[in-house]
Each structure stands twice: as structure tokens, then as C-alpha cells.
Amino acid sequence: MEDNRNQRDPEAMKAELSSHVQEIMESRPYKLVISKPVSKSQENKKINILLKKGYYQVERYTKTQVFHENLAFSRAVSRCADFMPEQFLQMNAWSENCEFSILISRKGKISWKKKNLDESSSKPQAQLEHNRKKQYILAEGEVIPPLVDMGIFTKDGRVVASMQDKFRQINRFVEIVDDAVKNLNQDCLKIVDFGCGKSYLTFILYYYFTEIRHMKVDMTGLDLKETVIQNCNRAAEKYGYTGLHFEMGDINGYKSEKPADMVITLHACDTATDYALFHAICWKARMSFSVPCCQHELNKQFSSDNLSLLGRYGIVKERTSALMTDAVRANLLEYCGYKTQLLEFVDMDNTPKNLLIRAVRQEMSGKEQYLEEVENLMNEFHFSPTLYRLLQAEGMLGDRNRRMRRRSVL
């Protein structure tokens, strides 16, 4: 039998279809079903399009498989037009208040229906994102320039298959930050990122604050390498990130005209993390995020008469020293007025499990205990941590000898 479905002018049909699909998409439907294949032999048998957080997900059904594709909102209309009328002749869609249907006859006549829905109307349930797929703060389907340049996103905002792990790692870091700032009643933040390196996460955080949280940000990245700073400033200019700039300098000697609200230090080697935390405490920063690495200081000083076993085996001594270093840092932050957590964080480069120190300023009672615990550990293992010495020199820890005499009396 002759197929007469294209008897109508194809351009006129496309224009009418595009108009109807545009109206459907403007209602932000939560589900679309494209069905009634033109040919039984064609590969695609049905198309489902589901609203997700920040994008649409296309489910393309063949006879034996399902293929997925994520679409930015801006591409949804044109993508639907790709499927009709060449492959399918029917579309049904549901928004919160309306039901739509498009039916194309074999001769190209388009039937269009729009029905208003009320609470008694029968309609498919919206598929909640958390029941099917984790909701990420940085949503796939949105074009995020730094992620494209990092090779994690394609140019149209899809995650490169081999980069799924890194995409999850970046989102995990943003989630840790978001959990601390989501209830922050502040429109503008000054942020300092110490030891920023190539600044992948610096750019991502700037995007998060300005594009997702819609906050004004004055953000500085600091690093010792001149070429790194030059490249990062060029990238910030390319992205149009006017509130982000990079400077060359050392964490220890860094000076700022204005105290920072947030301090970040990721993989600052050895005692560089201590200097960054010291800056945060002196500035009374609202929050601090640190992922320490290369922790050698306590490992070199570590010794104990009562617990010598912990220093006998190199790898045990190394890990014990690193854990004690971060425990001391956390306690000193608590003593200085920060609610502090040690969280497991997956490293961006080598993917070992690391600790992330998240500290949020929150005056607490009974803080003397935190300092006493640090000093007890120092006495037992005969070490003197940099952060403790910095705070003591600044007069922020009081008189240690006096405290020791009081404890001996007790």
C-alpha cells in the first residue's frame, strides 16, 4: 500500500508541530511519551522524556535495550521535532495542570488536544529523581564551561562516560560545601583558596555560588607558581568570572585587606594546611574547608614511652601521625569556636580516601576540654604541632604552663 503520510507540505507540518511542542514545553511537562512508530521495522519503538532536576532525560526504547540521553531545556523542542513525524506519529504529555496529545494521520493531518486537569483527573505520577538517580547539585545537561574544559562534560553538557567518577567526586565536594552554606544568611562572600593549583574546584565553586546560589562572590586563588596563576587568570576572564582572580604568593605570608568569610585549602602540603587554618581562625572566617596531604611534621617528632608500639612500624607510625595531626587540628578549631567535622573525601587525582576538615564558626561551651585533649596528646607523644604554636604565639591559647600546674594539683 502506498504511504501517503507526506502528502501535506513537510515544512508546513514541521512548523505546526514545532508550535504545539513549544506550547507543551513551556508548561514544563514532567513526562512525555512519543509512540506509534511509522514502521514496524524501525529501530526505535517508543520514546519517554522525563523531567529531572535541571534537564530532561530521554529514554529511547528499542526491541531489546533502552538508551539514555540528557537534554538541556533549550534543546528539548528541537529534539522532539527530530522524532516526529519521521519516526513516530503520536505524542502525549503531562504537566502539573494539563494533558496534551498530538496525533499525526498517514496523510499528515495533525490532531491537537489540550485538557486542563484537576485533582480528580487520572494522570501518570511524576518520577521523583531520588527514586531513580541521585540528584546532583551540578546537573548534567547544563553547560558548565570549566567542566567542559576539564573534559568531564561534552560541549552540550553531558558527562563523558570515562569521567563519571570524577563528576561524582566534584559533586561530593560541592555537596559538603552546600551543606554548610545552604542556610547562610549572607548575600556576598569573600573566599580565599590557598594553594589553588590549577584551580579546577575553584572555578566550580565560583560557578556554584554565582549560578546556583545566586550569591555575589569575591574569590581569590593563591599559588606559588607564576605560570599557574597566569593560566588561571586567563581562564577566569574567558569564563566571564569577574569576581574571581588569582595571585602568586605563600600561604604563610599572605596579607588581605579584608578578612575572608571562607577559607579553602585542598592538598596543601604538610604544615601549609596549618597556616591556612590559622588565617581562618584569625579572620574569624564563617567556615573553612581543608583536605590535608603530605603530613610529615608529627611523623618526624613522634615518640612515646607508654605507646611505643605505634611508632615501631613505619606505615603504622605514618598513618597514626597523620590521623593525630588532623585530630589536633579539629580540636584546636573547636577550641577557637568552630563546629568541626572530619569527613571522608575522595581525592580528585589519585582517588585514595582522604579526610576533609569542615569547620563552621559556632561559639560552643566547654571548649577548654578540646585544648586539654590536644596538650595531653602532645605530652604523650612529644610533638609540637604548627597550628598549636601559631595560636600560642598569637596569645590565643592562654598560659600552657599555668594549665599544666593546675592539672598536676588536681
Side-chain angles (χ1 to χ4, degrees):
M1 180 180 295
E2 183 180 359
D3 188 350
N4 295 317
R5 67 185 176 89
N6 289 322
Q7 288 183 357
R8 186 180 171 189
D9 176 34
E11 292 301 319
M13 187 189 309
K14 279 283 188 183
E16 184 178 351
L17 270 173
S18 180
S19 175
H20 292 319
V21 174
Q22 182 74 42
E23 182 175 348
I24 291 174
M25 300 312 294
E26 286 176 354
S27 73
R28 194 55 62 88
Y30 60 83
K31 183 175 183 179
L32 300 92
V33 178
I34 301 176
S35 57
K36 198 174 181 182
V38 168
S39 169
K40 291 183 178 180
S41 61
Q42 72 182 39
E43 181 183 16
N44 296 327
K45 306 302 180 184
K46 184 178 75 169
I47 308 290
N48 285 347
I49 303 177
L50 306 173
L51 178 64
K52 302 295 182 179
K53 185 180 179 182
Y55 63 98
Y56 278 104
Q57 185 178 79
V58 178
E59 297 177 342
R60 182 166 54 86
Y61 290 80
T62 67
K63 188 174 181 180
T64 58
Q65 291 179 289
V66 181
F67 297 91
H68 293 88
E69 173 189 1
N70 294 326
L71 294 176
F73 293 140
S74 58
R75 293 191 58 236
V77 173
S78 60
R79 192 71 179 102
C80 288
D82 292 341
F83 295 122
M84 299 178 69
E86 282 78 7
Q87 298 184 50
F88 297 94
L89 300 177
Q90 184 169 336
M91 175 190 289
N92 297 88
W94 294 265
S95 66
E96 190 65 30
N97 301 311
C98 294
E99 179 180 354
F100 305 88
S101 67
I102 300 175
L103 185 63
I104 305 172
S105 72
R106 292 289 176 178
K107 293 185 178 182
K109 179 181 177 182
I110 297 175
S111 298
W112 157 258
K113 291 182 181 179
K114 176 181 177 181
K115 176 183 176 183
N116 292 327
L117 301 175
D118 54 34
E119 293 182 359
S120 63
S121 301
S122 175
K123 57 183 178 179
Q125 290 185 345
Q127 291 184 336
L128 299 178
E129 183 79 11
H130 64 264
N131 287 334
R132 294 176 56 83
K133 184 178 178 181
K134 181 176 174 60
Q135 291 187 12
Y136 289 122
I137 293 174
L138 303 175
E140 184 177 7
E142 293 295 322
V143 177
I144 302 175
L147 289 180
V148 174
D149 285 351
M150 290 165 64
I152 293 175
F153 271 11
T154 61
K155 291 183 178 180
D156 59 354
R158 292 182 291 113
V159 179
V160 175
S162 61
M163 292 293 178
Q164 289 286 349
D165 286 343
K166 288 204 171 185
F167 179 59
R168 285 192 291 268
Q169 291 161 18
I170 290 171
N171 268 288
R172 173 59 181 151
F173 179 73
V174 175
E175 287 169 0
I176 290 172
V177 175
D178 182 70
D179 190 51
V181 305
K182 61 186 177 185
N183 297 319
L184 186 65
N185 185 22
Q186 190 168 335
D187 295 328
C188 181
L189 284 178
K190 178 170 177 57
I191 303 172
V192 177
D193 184 355
F194 286 120
C196 60
K198 295 180 181 178
S199 304
Y200 297 140
L201 288 178
T202 314
F203 289 116
I204 297 302
L205 279 183
Y206 186 88
Y207 174 89
Y208 158 78
F209 279 114
T210 57
E211 299 296 325
I212 297 177
R213 284 289 170 197
H214 304 293
M215 298 174 69
K216 185 178 179 181
V217 171
D218 176 9
M219 195 168 186
T220 301
L222 187 78
D223 198 87
L224 290 170
K225 298 178 182 178
E226 184 177 4
T227 55
V228 167
I229 295 303
Q230 291 173 348
N231 290 336
C232 289
N233 277 321
R234 280 195 291 267
E237 184 178 357
K238 169 187 170 184
Y239 301 144
Y241 291 176
T242 56
L244 173 60
H245 69 281
F246 297 87
E247 301 175 4
M248 189 171 68
D250 186 13
I251 299 175
N252 184 10
Y254 181 75
K255 303 292 183 183
S256 175
E257 294 180 0
K258 181 182 177 183
D261 299 300
M262 178 186 296
V263 171
I264 301 167
T265 174
L266 306 179
H267 310 122
C269 287
D270 203 13
T271 58
T273 296
D274 297 293
Y275 287 103
L277 294 176
F278 178 64
H279 279 298
I281 292 169
C282 291
W283 284 330
K284 295 186 177 180
R286 297 287 297 271
M287 59 197 72
S288 173
F289 302 89
S290 296
V291 178
C293 81
C294 306
Q295 304 189 52
H296 303 305
E297 183 183 41
L298 266 58
N299 189 38
K300 294 175 182 176
Q301 301 175 14
F302 184 110
S303 66
S304 172
D305 298 326
N306 298 319
L307 299 171
S308 57
L309 171 61
L310 294 176
R312 179 169 299 146
Y313 306 101
I315 191 169
V316 175
K317 181 181 179 183
E318 179 184 344
R319 292 181 181 179
T320 302
S321 299
L323 290 171
M324 287 198 298
T325 300
D326 289 331
V328 166
R329 288 165 173 164
N331 257 34
L332 291 174
L333 284 163
E334 292 273 6
Y335 175 78
C336 293
Y338 288 85
K339 177 65 178 176
T340 306
Q341 295 170 288
L342 298 182
L343 305 171
E344 198 169 67
F345 177 68
V346 181
D347 180 85
M348 280 288 296
D349 297 318
N350 301 314
T351 66
K353 292 182 177 178
N354 289 318
L355 289 181
L356 182 145
I357 305 172
R358 180 172 66 188
V360 179
R361 189 160 184 80
Q362 179 182 327
E363 294 294 344
M364 302 173 62
S365 60
K367 58 183 183 181
E368 286 291 335
Q369 171 192 347
Y370 296 106
L371 185 56
E372 290 181 4
E373 290 173 346
V374 168
E375 291 174 344
N376 289 340
L377 200 65
M378 291 169 59
N379 292 333
E380 177 61 47
F381 290 95
H382 306 103
F383 56 66
S384 178
T386 292
L387 182 56
Y388 181 94
R389 297 198 310 273
L390 290 170
L391 293 171
Q392 188 178 47
E394 198 67 19
M396 302 176 75
L397 300 182
D399 188 338
R400 182 186 181 188
N401 292 329
R402 184 177 174 183
R403 285 193 300 275
M404 296 303 295
R405 288 195 298 270
R406 187 180 72 243
R407 288 177 208 167
S408 64
V409 170
L410 295 175

